[in-house]
Amino acid sequence: MKYVYVLTSTEKDLYYEQCLMSVFSLRHYMPKAFISIITDNKTNETFNNRLELKNYVNEIISVPFNDTVSNIERSRRLKTTIPEYINDSFLFIDCDTIVCDNLSEIENSNYDIAAVLDGHVKLDEHKHKEYFLKREKKIGYQGTKYNNYHVNSGIIYFKNTEKSKLFFKKWHELWERNYDKYHDHHDQGPFNEALYQCNIKD
């Protein structure tokens, strides 16, 4: 199993530094973990000057993009297509996450896909319930409403199965539709809609 990050960054932002801190914390608690960074070609070029990350990861996978594609689009396209670059089970970790314990127990999970409830509460208890429902209704999604929860896509467990691969394909399809039609780069609405359409429940 691999521990996967998606990083798009320039030397003018702090995403690289956030990722470095997260990877360092993961390596501290799990010195033998296999850590993969999926990045784009432009970000990869900056690693010639920003060297620290290479000391803590096992592999860096660079994906080429047209120069006209923005960093935020690169990031979302990479995140919603991770199984195209990682042929293994994995735990995706957002770059702004600090690891505070050994995570190896997740490797024994029976789920094909798993993630964490946003705010660790059901929808009816969430302070942003109306915001989630209004945003998803606007783009024609209903997954959060009918599942009665909103899942955060910052941590995702992926077992290397056909079911989980189909989920990622649906997620990417919904995200791409959302981005092309509404110019909305958020990935959590499509993530929750994909859970609903793929009938993945708790």
Side-chain angles (χ1 to χ4, degrees), residues 40-54:
D40 66 288
N41 53 310
K42 278 189 174 181
T43 301
N44 191 51
E45 289 172 3
T46 71
F47 294 164
N48 294 326
N49 299 322
R50 301 189 286 180
L51 304 174
E52 297 89 345
L53 195 58
K54 293 181 178 179

Side-chain angles (χ1 to χ4, degrees), residues 145-197:
K145 176 182 177 181
Y146 287 112
N147 282 337
N148 193 34
Y149 52 71
H150 190 78
V151 177
N152 191 297
S153 60
I155 300 286
I156 305 168
Y157 170 75
F158 170 96
K159 186 176 287 186
N160 193 19
T161 65
E162 285 305 311
K163 183 176 181 180
S164 54
K165 289 176 183 177
L166 287 172
F167 167 80
F168 258 82
K169 287 181 180 178
K170 175 58 68 174
W171 182 23
H172 178 69
E173 172 190 313
L174 292 169
W175 176 83
E176 196 166 46
R177 166 197 174 273
N178 200 34
Y179 187 77
D180 291 344
K181 187 173 182 179
Y182 298 101
H183 309 291
D184 185 343
H185 62 77
H186 294 95
D187 63 76
Q188 284 192 183
F191 184 85
N192 281 271
E193 182 67 15
L195 290 174
Y196 173 67
Q197 291 193 20

